[in-house]
Structure formats: C-alpha cells, structure tokens
Amino acid sequence: MHHVQCVLQASKCLGWGSLASGSWLLLRTCRAHSSVSGITCPSPKGEQEDGVRKDFGSRLATGPTFQHFLRSASVPQEKLPSPDLGDPPPYLTVDQLSGRQRKVYLETYGCQMNVNDTEIAWSILQKSGYLRTSNLQEADVVLLVTCSIREKAEQTIWNRLHQLKALKMKRLRSRAPLKIGILGCMAERLKEEILSREKVVDVLAGPDAYRDLPRLLAVAESGRQAANVLLSLDETYADVLPVQTGPSAASAFVSIMRGCDNMCSYCIVPFTRGRERSRPVASILEEVRKLSEQGLKEVTLLGQNVNSFRDNSEVQFSNAGSTTLSRGFSTNYKTKQGGLRFAHLLDQVSRIDPEMRVRFTSPHPKDFPDEVLQLIHERDNICKQIHLPAQSGSSRVLEAMRRGYSREAYVELVHHIRESIPGVSLSSDFIAGFCGETEEDHRQTVSLLQEVRYNTGFLFAYSMRQKTRAYHRLKDDVLEAVKLRRLEELITVFREEATKVNEASVGCTQLVLVEGLSKRSAADLCGRNDGNLKVIFPDVEMEDATDSGPTARAQPGDYVLVKITSASSQTLRGRALCRTTLRAASALLC
Ligand code: 5AD
Ligand code: SF4
C-alpha cells in the first residue's frame, strides 16, 4: 500500500513538474522519445543524428535516471541559506506531505473569487495537517493569494514580499525557516519571473493548483523552490468544501464556476484563471444546504461570468437548448450548447432556504434571459440587485474592448431590467482611459453614468496587461495624468448620481440583514439592505415582529426592519423598527 502511494506521488511529480525546471524536463523527455519512437527532436549542438542512434544502448545506461527527473522538479534556492539536506528524497512520503501542525498565515488580495480561493486552499491544507494562524509572527508558512488585474495590485504584492523577506531573514536566526508562497493570479501570470526575481518565494501555485499545495510545501521544506501553475479545463474544486468566511459571519461566498472565455481585450483573467468551467449543480446545492443548516443567512454565488453558468456534467442535460443572449449582444466565442443554465441553478439555490438571501456576482450583461429576470422578480429571497458591468459609455470604445454590445444595446437592457424588476439596484464597473479613448468617448461614459444612475460603482484607471489583446493590438495612448483626471470625473459624477438615488429611499422602510457593530461607532449596528447598500442604525432593544417575546438587541444574522432617515452616496442611516423574518417582511414591504 505504501509503495502504491509513493509511485503515485512520484508520477505526480513528473507530470506536474516544478515549473522552473519544466523546460528541462520537457527536453529530456523529448530526447528519450526521439530515440525510442524515431520522432526527431532537435539534437544538442555537435551531436549527429546517426551517432545518437548507434550509441543509444550505452547512452541509455549512462543517461539520466528516473530519480534525476524527480530531483530536477525543483530549483535550488540562492542567497537565502537553506538547510543542507543533501539530495532531496526521490519521492515524498506521507509524513513529508503532512503539515505536521505547522502554522499557515493566509493573506488575500483582489476579488471575492480570491476570498473563496483562500478558503479552498485552507480547506486542502487543513486536511493535510496544517494549522491556521492569524498572527504573522507565529507563522511557519505565509501564503499570499494574489491578484493581477491591474499593475497596482501586483505592486502591492512586490512590496509585501520585501517586508516578508525581512521577516524571513530575521527568522533564520531564531527558528525553522519561514516558507513563503504566492498563490493565484500573479503566480499564474508571472510564473518563473517571481521565482527568479524574488528568491524569498518558496512556493508558487496557480488558481487551479491548490490541491497540489501539500506537495509543493513538502518540496519547499527540503529547501527548494516548487511551483505548479498548470491551468485546468475541468478543475472546479467541487468536492473541496471551503471553510467559509463571507463578508460577515452571516454570509458566505459559494463558487459556482471558474475561468472566463470572454476575452475582453483589456482583461488578464482568461490568462490567469483559464477556460470557463462550471461546477456541477448538485455539489453547489449541497454546499448551500450545509450553509443553511449552519444558520447562514446569505449566499453570494461567485464566478467571473456567473450568468454564463452551464453544467454539462450530466449526459441527460447536454441536449438542452442553446444560449439566448440579451438583445443586441454577441460573444467572442462559438455559441455553447446544452447543459443546466444559470436560471435553473438560481431557482434551485433560492428554494433551499426561504430565509436565506441569494446574490450573485459578477454577471456579464450578455446573459440576462427573461427567465433569469423573472425569477429575480418573483423570488423574495433573491436580492433585487444586479451588477451590470458596462466598462464604457462609448460604443467605439466598447468595440475596442470587444465587449460584444453597443451603448444602445446596454441602455435597452437596463430599461428592460428595470421594467422586469421594479426597484432593482444596479451597479457597474467602468474603466477610464482605455486605449484610444478620446474626450468625447469619456463624455459618453459620464453621460451613461447620469442616464443609468447606478446605486454602486467600481471605477478604475486602465492598466495595460501583457498577453491581452489590447497589449498586442492597441496602443496605451492615454496619458496617465489624463486617465486619472477622467477617473476622478467619473467618481464625482457617480457619487452625485448615487446620492440622488439613495436619497429617494429616505422615509422608506427597508429589510436589513445585520452584519455586526458599525466600525465607526459601537453604539450603532451595520447591515445591508436588499440592494447590498450599507445601512447604519442605533443598536437598541427592539421587538420581534414574529413573536411576542421580550424586546432584545439585534444580533448578526438577524433581519431588522429599518426606517431610512438619511442617505449619502455609499451609506444609508435609519432607525430600527423591529426584528423580523425575510418572509414576514416580504409580505409587509410589498
Ligand atoms: N485595467 C483597469 N481595469 C480593469 N478591469 C479589468 N481589467 C482591467 C485593466 N486592465 C476592471 C474591469 C472589470 C473589473 C473587475 O476590473 O472594470 O470589470
Ligand atoms: Fe484579480 Fe481577476 Fe484574478 Fe480576481 S480573477 S484575483 S480580479 S486578476
């Protein structure tokens, strides 16, 4: 049994290889093949084809052994002294793969997907015998879950690595060496560059390689760098139950798909997170059921394009109809067929627990068929909140971005959504200063902000990313100062409009899910309304509308009816009326 385990581990080492030595491995494998199967590979300088063939027997005897390949699966570390363990073991034993109670400190950067990925990585490490610590000083392993979406996100990580380097050097004098790992998008985008630029990094794991973390850390323990940045076509971590942490104790993120096929010209995501793939519906439902049993009151379904969800895992689903895109929208890829779609998933998830709010992010505007809109409208526990990333208000820029819609098609969709879901909250992402954006294009974006009046907005200055279509085909020709000025203008307009929209809710009664004490004042509670806007109200005793028990203060996870008394662009303030349930409130608020 033990033997089988070792062989499996060995073959995994070879197949998945440590990245920095990947090319070495490939070359050697190729030479072996060329001799055995007669396929010709480039010969090393000075060697003649004939010579290679004649000599094969003796060369094979003196050539690299299997253990050579295994040994090459990691790169010796320079500068930072590492324990001299001699040759690394040819394979890793169960004991070496175990965390042996070493303490891991996890730090998350970037989007909500990364928050979820952190918990997936942690779930895998926990099973492998690691402990988690929230105290950096006592950590044996520090893992940064990183983001590559903009230059600034990566710069933050480089800066953090410099701080960690100091900690690592200090640690060398006291206890066992600190191991540092880069996980996620930056590991995927920069690969070897990180290992060679920052000798302080021991482990590199791309977004699809978290299952390999115990092995990578075991290799790192032997004083070598280890990496796995292979992207997968089917990894969804469906069977790895993340140890949940959501925006609050009462809510959790549930990943429903990974990767992206959209290929918007500015975006690095398809390169860092790979092809789009959906998690089987059954495993999502099982996770949501468990969260409901734990008493959680909100789930956010997560993915890069949640509404393009398509579960093709069951043969009987694969004949279902093809995609219906929103009117005036197109895709950069061939229309996909069959599978269980997002409307089905949303329907099923929302039926699990009527007291559990359901949100989703991020969708793409192209996939909003009427049945999704209808469902959001009808189901009390699906929040009437849609993120509809526009990116620009200029059709010309949208085309350069390869978004697959014009401004007119987008605006028509907004009207259709507002008709289908009265009172819906809308949010959006915008990029200021994309390649070729003129002042007129910029004005069009300003006017879109004014026309749509979003409740929430995420605004960014364009940051050129290597590998993307824009990097290869377009010119990053808007001056940095101009990008920033335009960004400022977008922020100002967005705030003005959001303030007007939010002020309209003053005097209304809203259902708020309590998250906890307000960060600004311990006398106030903070929660979120259906539109995901923060609502602050005094922490006082109140009645429960659904029973006649004594008055009590609201706790995280309670629903409270709040009368809104004032509003700003990002927050509402109000007065608590009573505790209640989602179902009771829905009957009352309609
Ligand atoms: N530069 C600036 N913003 C970007 N985004 C994506 N790629 C870039 C980039 N290269 C923004 C988009 C996207 C959000 C997650 O990040 O607005 O919707
Ligand atoms: Fe950043 Fe995008 Fe990766 Fe999320 S998916 S971490 S936003 S690059």
Side-chain angles (χ1 to χ4, degrees), residues 149-150 266-267 389 391 429-431 460-465:
I149 199 127
R150 285 169 286 274
Y266 51 81
C267 191
Q391 311 299 358
D429 295 344
F430 283 97
I431 298 177
F460 313 99
Y462 175 59
S463 166
M464 174 70 95
R465 310 313 285 139

Side-chain angles (χ1 to χ4, degrees), residues 173-409:
R173 281 175 246 129
S174 51
R175 17 192 266 246
L178 177 70
K179 298 295 168 192
I180 296 174
I182 298 287
L183 274 50
C185 291
M186 205 168 149
E188 196 61 55
R189 193 181 90 76
L190 294 171
K191 304 185 171 97
E192 299 94 329
E193 195 183 325
I194 298 187
L195 294 182
S196 53
R197 193 170 144 183
E198 275 305 341
K199 299 287 184 289
V200 71
V201 175
D202 303 284
V203 162
L204 217 56
D208 289 343
Y210 302 142
R211 284 182 204 272
D212 203 22
L213 274 172
R215 183 187 74 84
L216 296 172
L217 284 168
V219 173
E221 268 306 291
S222 71
R224 279 139 215 280
Q225 291 178 308
N228 183 346
V229 287
L230 283 186
L231 284 174
S232 158
L233 288 178
D234 55 10
E235 178 63 275
T236 58
Y237 300 107
D239 57 325
V240 180
L241 259 190
V243 183
Q244 287 294 345
T245 46
S248 80
S251 51
F253 294 127
V254 174
S255 164
I256 64 164
M257 61 196 300
R258 299 179 74 83
C260 176
D261 285 350
N262 280 338
M263 289 287 177
C264 301
S265 62
Y266 51 81
C267 191
I268 190 73
V269 173
F271 303 94
T272 59
R273 287 191 168 263
R275 298 298 302 269
E276 186 177 293
R277 64 221 104 118
S278 299
R279 183 175 161 187
V281 168
S283 86
I284 299 170
L285 297 182
E286 192 190 321
E287 185 176 340
V288 176
R289 252 179 240 120
K290 285 202 175 117
L291 294 170
S292 159
E293 280 159 22
Q294 287 166 24
L296 268 83
K297 292 292 179 54
E298 183 180 84
V299 284
T300 303
L301 307 180
L302 273 188
Q304 260 79 34
N305 287 289
V306 277
N307 52 342
S308 311
F309 181 88
R310 184 186 297 275
D311 172 14
N312 275 319
S313 63
E314 303 274 344
V315 177
Q316 71 260 35
F317 304 146
S318 59
N319 286 332
S322 64
T323 312
T324 328
L325 296 174
S326 311
R327 190 136 40 105
F329 288 71
S330 64
T331 64
N332 291 330
Y333 52 79
K334 220 173 119 211
T335 314
K336 296 174 185 175
Q337 299 282 330
L340 289 174
R341 305 301 319 276
F342 186 61
H344 171 86
L345 177 73
L346 197 56
D347 174 37
Q348 295 292 305
V349 168
S350 65
R351 284 175 193 275
I352 289 176
D353 180 353
E355 285 301 314
M356 189 185 236
R357 274 181 171 172
V358 182
R359 301 184 190 277
F360 55 89
T361 198
S362 274
H364 188 288
K366 73 179 172 359
D367 280 315
F368 272 107
D370 284 347
E371 47 181 340
V372 170
L373 300 178
Q374 199 58 33
L375 194 63
I376 300 173
H377 173 53
E378 279 173 12
R379 215 47 67 78
D380 290 335
N381 63 336
I382 304 181
C383 292
K384 276 81 197 132
Q385 172 223 345
I386 296 185
H387 187 57
L388 208 60
Q391 311 299 358
S392 170
S394 151
S395 294
R396 214 181 62 80
V397 174
L398 287 169
E399 202 181 330
M401 289 175 162
R402 287 172 62 90
R403 288 290 289 172
Y405 53 85
S406 62
R407 176 196 175 107
E408 290 68 34

